[in-house]
Amino acid sequence: MQSVGNQFQFLAVGGQCDTVFDIRRGGDLVVDTLILNTRALVLKLRNVEHNTNSYEIRTLKADNNSVGWRLLEMQRPGSVRVHVGGHISRRATPAPDAIKLLGEPAHQDIDVDLWWLGKHWPAEQPVPLTR
């Protein structure tokens, strides 16, 4: 029920997976390399109000089969740190609601630096959040 000190060096996700990480009660997570080869939600955060909430995906590669994938969905407000870097393949278009956060932005450290179609994604502005 709580993510405590989890680290993955390499994780390849494909097939019928709809949610890669479903964090129910906070904690921390580090993924060195994540290859996404399906249309899935990468990180689903539920009740994160009472724990350390630090999630880092150092290298994410969204492969061409992951059209419509989503990166982050936060279901309840809370303090959170999410850092993601990597590459989105040319045809791996993210869903319009790829990042959905709730709560006070001052309590959230969100740093998403993905490279797609020769540009940073999200665009060179603060992360486009659905609130």
Side-chain angles (χ1 to χ4, degrees):
M1 296 298 285
Q2 181 178 344
S3 175
V4 181
N6 291 308
Q7 180 174 12
F8 295 84
Q9 287 187 316
F10 178 80
L11 181 62
V13 180
Q16 299 300 314
C17 179
D18 62 355
T19 304
V20 179
F21 294 105
D22 186 348
I23 309 294
R24 297 176 183 207
R25 297 180 73 190
D28 65 305
L29 171 71
V30 174
V31 179
D32 289 325
T33 302
L34 172 63
I35 306 295
L36 185 65
N37 198 19
T38 186
R39 173 190 170 120
L41 170 62
V42 175
L43 188 59
K44 182 177 192 174
L45 305 177
R46 295 183 189 232
N47 183 1
V48 296
E49 61 189 11
H50 297 296
N51 286 300
T52 300
N53 305 300
S54 179
Y55 310 102
E56 183 174 346
I57 301 173
R58 295 176 178 161
T59 304
L60 168 70
K61 181 178 188 277
D63 220 343
N64 285 328
N65 291 333
S66 55
V67 174
W69 67 280
R70 295 183 303 135
L71 179 61
L72 173 64
E73 177 184 301
M74 187 175 194
Q75 294 190 332
R76 292 183 63 179
S79 297
V80 67
R81 174 188 175 272
V82 177
H83 288 204
V84 179
H87 177 81
I88 303 169
S89 295
R90 179 170 298 281
R91 293 187 305 247
T93 307
D97 62 343
I99 299 173
K100 292 174 27 175
L101 293 168
L102 298 173
E104 176 59 46
H107 300 291
Q108 298 169 351
D109 176 12
I110 310 296
D111 181 15
V112 178
D113 184 17
L114 295 170
W115 191 254
W116 183 43
L117 300 175
K119 301 181 227 177
H120 286 280
W121 182 90
E124 300 288 342
Q125 58 199 15
V127 176
L129 306 177
T130 303
R131 293 197 185 266

